[in-house]
Every structure is written in structure tokens, then in C-alpha cells.
Amino acid sequence: MDKILIVVGAILLIVAVIEISPRVRVPSALALVVIGAVIGILPIVPEVHLDPEWILVGVLPPLLYSAAVQMPAMEFRRDFGAISALSVVLVLISSVLLGLFFWAVVPEIGIATGIALGTIVSPTDAVATSIAKKLGVPSRVTAVLEGESMLNDATALVLLRAAVAAIATTISFGGVVVNFVWAVVVAVTIGALVGALNLRVRARVNDPAVNTAISFTVPYLAYLPAEQLGASGLVAAVTAGLITGAGAARFLTPSHRISDTQNWRMVEMLAEGGVFFLMGLELFALMRDVQQEHTGVTHAIWLGLAALGVALVIRAIYVVPTVWWLERRRRRGDRIRPVLEGFTATPSPTSPPDGEGVVSRRLSRWRWRARFRRHKDPDLADLSYVSPETAGRINARVTRALADIDYYDDTPVGPKEGVIMVWAGLRGVVTVAAAQTLPTDTPARSLLVLTAFVVAAASLLIQGGTLGWLIRTLRLPDTTADDRAERVRLRREMDEAMQKAMTESEKIRAIPWMRDRIEQATREAENSEDGPGSGVTSGLSQSERVQMRVVRREIIAAQRRRLLRLRSEGSYSSEALSRMLSQLDAEEISLDIQAG
């Protein structure tokens, strides 16, 4: 009974903090850490020693999976180079340099232990990065930070395994590389299979509650087999989430997607709040362990602050060339824009000799990729024979490439955005949980664990506490007008799809007055950025209402197909497309309610 009361009290505390923190302009994660630390010091509260497996296995897979489902796949693809550079290369560099730092300032540990601790404090945390998202960080920077934090946890944990193995025995550099490649390739394969199977199975389930219950098992269905095969379960969970998020609009019904969103949001809220609260509760026990080892809490605090400073310096030095590379890619896109705008692949009027079609199609695709990716001024005029299918694929790539160029121009990453990328790279609960996986016989283990905790807590308090002030100080460009113009353009696309659907509808031909009724309701709804409500069927007979609902479903289906095509082309931002898709979902659910 006492344990149930503790759980209920913790949930109510988390909910209260999350509700109140926006009013006092304090991130809920920071408030929960501080409250947990204060409660942990009370004499009536027993020491808290959380098994790290509860976080690494029980909490992280669903949280990373949920973040991946919501990750805009289009932005993830566009900045995958920067995300990979931050989540893999930067973690490798930081781990080694921080490992050398720890080895130098803590004499009783070896180089392998130092690198292990460097690996623990190197990755940014997906849960902590949510603070940056809520403070108004630019959407492109947010996408890069989210992608980095989803993948670098896996990079760090794979390196940590190698470093821990090196503490007890020897492991070669080649062995580390082979283990890392295996961990990633196998995890991506398993995650992709689980994600694709998830969509196809859930597409056949009618009950939204059952559908959501199945979704709760998906991150573990990806995580567990990957871990059994020695791969990264977190990468598998992230991959499954990316596949699910990209295909949800195509395979899942609106009621399923809304149910998923609401229920996963609740899971995220409680899990994120719970881990930050537990971080605070553990502080007193860690401090007592360090004091008993006579190493001194003050020493751990200064060591953690110094390590955070070194990590930020390394990140800043690394982000500078990354920002330069992103700007260089943007300028390169501007150079090839005129070529792409004037190019259209057309099928050859005559077919090649038998047996040469496949070779020619592959050659055309290879020439397209080579010229677009490697040359500053690609000449696309002399492509050899292309089939209608290949011509369609090439034209789609041209359209998407032009949309990518527009995206890079509209959301440039300059020095101000680079500063945010450095400061918004927060450490969090993963650092604390990973530190507690160090072997119990590790020299100065309590000091190292407390140091990792100080790094995470100081990152949350210092970086997270000042990030909002930094964003306001930098005075980033206001994109409100551009966002409004984009929504207007997308609404026109939806109107065109509606007109086309009504022109092709047999019901409209049979009952012409329906067109005027739907157009009037749509114009009235545009002022509130919502779909036609129940008023469109008011005053109609029962049979006329049924026919009206049929037509509206036809229109929604046509508009959704247009949205999916626009998403594949990259013509609009993910935020605008998601907003419009949610409006269509709400309208379709209202039709289900009216029909029920």
C-alpha cells in the first residue's frame, strides 16, 4: 500500500510541476530535478539507488521510439549528414578527448576508465533536448538536435561497452570498429523490419485502443532482438519509430493516429518527469557514497563542472566547421538551381535494342546521381535513353532537389544558429544511467558516477536555465509571416484538390447544389483554419446527409493524397503538412461521429 501511495504521489507531483512550470517560466525538467534533490535530503526519505537497467531498457526505448515517430522524416533526410556528424563523429572525438582529461585529473583511474567516463558524458540526451524544443529553438536546429540525441545515445553505449571490456581485458581498435558497424547495421535492419511489420499489422486492426496497445510493444520488439544479437537496441527502436512515423498517414486511420498521439504524449510526460525526479532523489545517496570514500563531494563537483566546460568547448570547435559545411552546401544548391529548373527528363520515343533497356536505365540513374552530387555545374542534357518509369523518378528527384534547395535557403544555419546548436546540446538522464553501469570494482567508481551526475545536472540547470535568455538575446529572424504565407499556399493546394475531387465525383454530377454547399462551408471554415463542421449538413434530409458525407470523404481522401505527394516532394515544411493532416483527420473523425 505504501508503495502505491508513493507512486500516486509522484505522478501527482509530476503533473503539478508540468502544469505550473510554464506559468513561472521554468522548464519542468529543471524544476523536477531541484524538487527531487530537496526531497532526497529530507531525513524521512530513504536513500534511492535506481537500477540503471530500468532506464536503459525500460524507459529509453519507448521514449526514443516516440521521439522518432514524431521526427519529421523530410527534415531528418535533409540534414542527415549533419546529424550523423554530430551523433557519431563528435561522440567519438569527445569520448577520447574527455577520456584523456579524466585520465589526467584522476590519477587512480586508467586510460580505458577515463574513456569510459568520457563516453558517458559525451552524448546529448533526447529527453533533455525536449527543453530546447519547448523554448522556441528554430525548427531546423530542433530537427538536427533531436536527430543527434536519438542516435548518439546508441553510439555512446556501444563505445561504453568497448571501454568497459578494455578495463577488464584488451580490445583492439579494429574490434571496436567491427562491433560498432555490426551494432548499427543489424539494429537498422531489425528496426526497419519491425517498423514495416508494425504498420501492416496495425492497418488491419479496427479498435484504436487495441491499436495503441500494440504500438506500446513496438519499441521493445525492436530493442530486445537487437540486443540479443549484440546490436544496438536503441538504434533499432529509433529506426522502427522513423519507419512508423513516415508511414502512419498512409497505413493508419485518423482515429488510430490521434489515439497514438494522445496516449504516447501521456507516456512521455510521465516517463520524462519521472526520470528527472529520480535524478534529483539520487543526489543525496551519491554524495554520501563519495564522502565515505574520502574523495570529497567538492572535488566531484569541480570535476563535473570542468568536464562540462571541456565538452562544450569541444562541441563548439566541432560545430564551427559543421556550420561552414552547411552554408557551403546551401551555396552549392543555389549554383545548380538554374540547371535543375531548366531540366525535365522525357522518355525516349523509341526503345533500345532487346537486352539493353535495363543497362541503359541503370546508366541513366547513375549519370543523374553522379552529376547532381559531384559536379558544381552538372550537364543533364545528354542523358541516354530513359524509360517512362525512370523519367518519372528523375523528375521527382529534380522536384525534391529544388524543394531541398528552397528549404536550405529559407532556414539557413549561420553563426547564431550554431551558437544555439552548441548551447542546446544538453546532457540528461542517459548520462546518469550509463554511469551506473560501470563495473562495481572500477577505481573511484562513486566519484565517477557523481561526476557524471554533476555534468548532467549542471547541463540542465546552466544550459537549460539560460537557453531561453540566449534565444531572446540572439534575436533570430521572425518567421511568422513566412509561416502564414506557407499555410495560405497549402490551403490553395487543398482547394485545388477539393475542386478536382468534386469535378470527378458522380454524386456532384447527380446533385450539383452540393458543390456550392461544400464551397461555402469551406470558405467559412478557413477563417478558423479548420475543416467544414457539422453545419455543412444542417437542414438536409437523412438521405442527403448520407450523400454529403460520401462526397466529403471523397474530398478528404483526395486532399490526403495530395498532402502525401507534397510531402514526398518536400514542397512544404513538415509542420505545415502535419497541421493540415491533423485538420483532415479531425474532419474525418467528425464524419464518423455524425454517421454513428
Side-chain angles (χ1 to χ4, degrees):
M1 182 67 71
D2 292 340
K3 293 182 179 179
I4 294 177
L5 289 175
I6 292 173
V7 172
V8 171
I11 291 175
L12 292 177
L13 175 63
I14 291 169
V15 171
V17 171
I18 292 175
E19 179 66 21
I20 296 172
S21 58
R23 303 176 187 177
V24 297
R25 298 183 180 181
V26 175
S28 58
L30 307 183
L32 286 168
V33 170
V34 174
I35 292 173
V38 172
I39 293 176
I41 296 175
L42 298 177
I44 61 173
V45 178
E47 290 186 1
V48 177
H49 291 279
L50 180 65
D51 186 350
E53 291 297 316
W54 281 101
I55 294 178
L56 297 178
V57 179
V59 176
L60 280 184
L63 281 180
L64 292 179
Y65 168 83
S66 179
V69 169
Q70 300 174 43
M71 178 74 187
M74 186 166 54
E75 277 80 350
F76 186 83
R77 173 189 62 80
R78 283 167 167 166
D79 280 315
F80 183 72
I83 291 171
S84 301
L86 292 170
S87 60
V88 178
V89 181
L90 178 57
V91 171
L92 291 171
I93 295 173
S94 297
S95 299
V96 174
L97 295 180
L98 283 168
L100 295 174
F101 166 77
F102 288 124
W103 181 46
V105 299
V106 185
E108 58 264 40
I109 67 172
I111 182 65
T113 305
I115 292 179
L117 185 56
T119 301
I120 288 168
V121 302
S122 290
T124 58
D125 184 52
V127 180
T129 304
S130 64
I131 297 175
K133 185 176 182 180
K134 295 173 183 176
L135 289 175
V137 171
S139 58
R140 186 178 179 189
V141 177
T142 300
V144 172
L145 290 172
E146 288 183 333
E148 175 196 4
S149 60
M150 284 191 301
L151 299 179
N152 64 9
D153 288 340
T155 303
L157 292 176
V158 171
L159 292 176
L160 179 59
R161 290 176 185 173
V164 170
I167 294 174
T169 180
T170 58
I171 184 171
S172 65
F173 175 77
V176 174
V177 173
V178 170
N179 289 340
F180 182 80
V181 173
W182 170 265
V184 172
V185 172
V186 173
V188 169
T189 302
I190 293 175
L193 291 175
V194 171
L197 185 62
N198 167 45
L199 288 172
R200 282 157 178 78
V201 169
R202 293 173 61 196
R204 301 175 181 272
V205 177
N206 296 323
D207 191 328
V210 175
N211 203 289
T212 302
I214 295 174
S215 74
F216 288 155
T217 68
V218 174
Y220 298 107
L221 292 175
Y223 179 91
L224 295 174
E227 288 291 324
Q228 287 295 319
L229 294 175
S232 173
L234 296 181
V235 171
V238 168
T239 304
L242 291 172
I243 297 295
T244 300
R250 192 180 302 275
F251 288 92
L252 304 182
T253 65
S255 59
H256 290 166
R257 290 195 295 272
I258 290 178
S259 175
D260 270 12
T261 300
Q262 293 174 341
N263 287 284
W264 273 105
R265 188 175 299 164
M266 182 269 296
V267 171
E268 288 179 359
M269 178 188 68
L270 294 180
E272 291 177 2
V275 294
F276 285 118
F277 181 59
L278 287 172
M279 278 181 60
L281 288 177
E282 284 190 295
L283 176 60
F284 182 70
L286 287 173
M287 293 173 62
R288 176 172 295 181
D289 290 343
V290 172
Q291 197 66 38
Q292 290 175 351
E293 292 183 358
H294 306 292
T295 52
V297 174
T298 304
H299 179 52
I301 293 175
W302 283 111
L303 182 60
L305 293 175
L308 178 60
V310 172
L312 287 174
V313 170
I314 295 171
R315 184 176 180 87
I317 294 174
Y318 187 85
V319 165
V320 169
T322 302
V323 170
W324 171 83
W325 173 71
L326 291 174
E327 176 62 19
R328 182 174 178 270
R329 184 175 64 176
R330 187 189 68 81
R331 292 197 300 266
R332 177 177 177 271
D334 290 338
R335 287 197 301 270
I336 66 174
R337 183 200 296 272
V339 179
L340 295 178
E341 288 177 339
F343 172 78
T344 301
T346 55
S348 173
T350 58
S351 300
D354 292 341
E356 296 183 8
V358 173
V359 175
S360 299
R361 287 194 293 271
R362 290 178 178 173
L363 179 62
S364 299
R365 290 197 293 270
W366 177 84
R367 286 179 177 176
W368 158 252
R369 293 191 183 100
R371 291 171 185 175
F372 174 66
R373 292 179 179 176
R374 299 179 184 176
H375 298 288
K376 296 181 179 179
D377 299 305
D379 181 11
L380 304 176
D382 61 341
L383 283 172
S384 60
Y385 164 79
V386 291
S387 67
E389 295 81 7
T390 302
R393 284 193 293 268
I394 291 177
N395 288 331
R397 287 179 61 87
V398 171
T399 300
R400 191 168 65 179
L402 287 171
D404 291 348
I405 293 172
D406 292 336
Y407 172 76
Y408 298 139
D409 282 338
D410 294 338
T411 58
V413 177
K416 292 183 179 180
E417 289 77 11
V419 171
I420 295 177
M421 288 175 63
V422 173
W423 201 248
L426 282 72
R427 276 69 181 172
V429 68
V430 175
T431 294
V432 177
Q436 297 181 44
T437 63
L438 289 172
T440 55
D441 58 350
T442 302
R445 182 182 183 277
S446 295
L447 173 64
L448 301 183
V449 173
L450 182 57
T451 299
F453 183 94
V454 171
V455 171
S459 177
L460 290 172
L461 294 172
I462 298 174
Q463 293 174 250
T466 59
L467 185 57
W469 168 84
L470 178 64
I471 294 172
R472 293 190 299 270
T473 302
L474 291 174
R475 296 182 180 179
L476 297 170
D478 186 5
T479 61
T480 304
D482 294 336
D483 295 341
R484 188 181 299 111
E486 183 183 44
R487 289 197 295 270
V488 171
R489 288 190 293 111
L490 185 57
R491 173 57 68 182
R492 292 199 195 102
E493 295 268 8
M494 294 298 97
D495 289 343
E496 291 177 5
M498 179 183 69
Q499 294 295 336
K500 183 178 179 182
M502 289 193 295
T503 301
E504 297 172 353
S505 173
E506 296 291 338
K507 298 284 185 185
I508 294 291
R509 294 195 188 101
I511 314 175
W513 57 263
M514 279 191 182
R515 177 188 289 268
D516 295 335
R517 190 75 177 255
I518 293 175
E519 288 178 345
Q520 179 183 356
T522 302
R523 285 193 298 269
E524 294 174 353
E526 284 180 358
N527 295 328
S528 60
E529 296 188 355
D530 201 356
S534 59
V536 72
T537 59
S538 61
L540 302 181
S541 66
Q542 182 62 30
S543 61
E544 290 173 335
R545 290 182 180 181
V546 172
Q547 292 173 328
M548 180 68 77
R549 284 195 289 268
V550 171
V551 174
R552 288 174 63 193
R553 289 185 186 277
E554 292 175 353
I555 294 172
I556 292 172
Q559 290 175 325
R560 186 175 286 118
R561 287 193 298 270
R562 176 71 69 89
L563 281 176
L564 294 176
R565 181 173 65 80
L566 293 174
R567 187 180 69 175
S568 65
E569 294 174 354
S571 305
Y572 293 86
S573 67
S574 294
E575 182 179 357
L577 294 173
S578 298
R579 183 195 299 268
M580 186 61 66
L581 181 62
S582 297
Q583 293 176 11
L584 295 182
D585 289 347
E587 183 179 352
E588 188 166 351
I589 290 175
S590 72
L591 292 177
D592 294 337
I593 294 174
Q594 294 170 30

